[in-house]
Amino acid sequence: MSESKSRFVVSADWLQAELGKPDLRVLDASFYLPAQKRDADAEYAAGHIPGAIRFDQDKIADHSTSLPHTIPSPDYFATEAGRLGISENDRIVVYDGIGLFASPRVWWLFRVMGAKNVFVLDGGLDGWKAEGRRLETTTPSHAPATFTPDFDESRVVALDRMRDIVASGAMQIADARSAGRFAAAEPEPRAGMRSGHMPGARSLPSGTFANQGRFKSLPELRQTIEEAGIDLSKPVVTSCGSGITAAIITLALESLGHHDNKLYDGSWSEWGSRDDTPVVTGPPTPVKA
């Protein structure tokens, strides 16, 4: 692995050579917004990386809340992961269709739940297909496994804690939504939400971390983050529209050795849908030279 690349991201060449190893689990974590006009389940059925297990982020979630794909309880997650044949000791490679959109969320989720060897496939399924690599349509069958969770609750931020962070400025806030949504120049894709951003937040659109679905080099990641006004020597909480693409920033931070970070799980789906949370409109405050 190149020293300029994230240690959490693996190449298609590496994955192809490892396919079929007994401790390897490949997860198709594809997820799309309505505007993307893609059907993750249909694409999986039409052809996926050999041995890949479909991991539906809306199903393996907390169904007691109206918020989308919220982190499930450790027990429920462990039950569902075990049912899919995944243990916390497996080597887990997660991919999505685009390459770097939804897969970092599942990478983060498994790590928060205690798995250690979790990686993201560079280029995703689109990149795999573009290189003419083999696909299969059969659904793999793995024997049930035992996933023993070791949930790190400290890496997840709930609403009350997020209120405190915004009020106190105790952590830097990195927002992965588009610059237009951040500034309230574009409407939110979900109905009933205010536009804008949390006071003090910095705009770090998730699309700026990859080129054609491939994760940027470590120097490029550092430049992207620092130019947005984030100090890598200080704690960071990541946020986005619904907790999915915030994990792209988390992946970038962890890749750079920044471990004092948390993810706001409710993200803008929660913050922007309430009438008792402060919202700022307009572009982010310019970064001081």
Side-chain angles (χ1 to χ4, degrees):
M1 187 72 69
S2 168
E3 291 184 1
S4 70
K5 293 291 188 180
S6 169
R7 66 187 182 94
F8 299 114
V9 175
V10 298
S11 69
D13 283 343
W14 181 91
L15 178 58
Q16 185 163 306
E18 295 297 307
L19 288 178
K21 300 286 179 66
D23 67 331
L24 182 73
R25 293 292 180 267
V26 182
L27 309 184
D28 183 323
S30 299
F31 165 88
Y32 302 107
L33 296 170
Q36 292 169 306
K37 295 180 168 51
R38 293 179 65 166
D39 184 324
D41 288 335
E43 289 188 21
Y44 176 81
H48 47 266
I49 293 175
I53 303 163
R54 179 79 179 109
F55 189 97
D56 190 326
Q57 302 191 53
D58 281 320
K59 290 181 179 176
I60 303 179
D62 179 1
H63 300 293
S64 68
T65 173
S66 61
L67 295 172
H69 34 256
T70 301
I71 189 169
S73 71
D75 286 346
Y76 179 73
F77 178 87
T79 296
E80 292 301 303
R83 186 177 59 81
L84 293 173
I86 307 166
S87 88
E88 77 279 6
N89 297 316
D90 287 328
R91 291 183 299 156
I92 302 166
V93 176
V94 190
Y95 73 84
D96 62 53
I98 297 171
L100 206 80
F101 180 65
S103 51
R105 165 72 182 200
V106 174
W107 166 85
W108 171 82
L109 182 59
F110 269 91
R111 281 167 51 86
V112 167
M113 291 295 179
K116 305 297 184 187
N117 299 310
V118 195
F119 308 93
V120 171
L121 174 63
D122 213 15
L125 186 62
D126 288 353
W128 186 274
K129 289 178 178 178
E131 294 170 359
R133 297 178 189 269
R134 187 167 67 89
L135 299 172
E136 70 178 18
T137 57
T138 56
T139 301
S141 178
H142 295 291
T146 298
F147 188 103
T148 304
D150 182 14
F151 180 45
D152 187 354
E153 189 175 7
S154 70
R155 305 306 290 270
V156 187
V157 174
L159 177 62
D160 286 347
R161 175 61 178 142
M162 198 68 222
R163 289 186 194 273
D164 292 341
I165 290 169
V166 169
S168 67
M171 297 183 74
Q172 301 170 101
I173 304 168
D175 190 326
R177 293 174 303 146
S178 69
R181 290 168 64 188
F182 182 94
E186 299 171 2
E188 286 295 311
R190 296 175 178 85
M193 285 187 200
R194 293 174 294 164
S195 296
H197 57 272
M198 289 174 261
R202 290 290 178 181
S203 178
L204 267 169
S206 59
T208 62
F209 291 91
N211 293 315
Q212 296 183 321
R214 301 189 186 281
F215 209 32
K216 287 182 174 180
S217 68
L218 297 182
E220 290 173 318
L221 294 175
R222 180 178 295 277
Q223 181 179 2
T224 296
I225 292 170
E226 290 181 342
E227 286 183 349
I230 296 292
D231 184 340
L232 287 165
S233 70
K234 297 178 180 178
V236 178
V237 58
T238 63
S239 182
C240 60
S242 64
I244 295 282
T245 59
I248 297 174
I249 305 178
T250 306
L251 175 60
L253 292 171
E254 292 285 331
S255 298
L256 292 168
H258 183 288
H259 307 305
D260 191 2
N261 61 77
K262 307 173 189 293
L263 187 149
Y264 172 31
D265 198 32
S267 284
W268 202 255
S269 292
E270 183 172 51
W271 194 271
S273 64
R274 302 179 66 90
D275 58 10
D276 62 350
T277 47
V279 170
V280 179
T281 58
T285 304
V287 179
K288 295 179 181 179

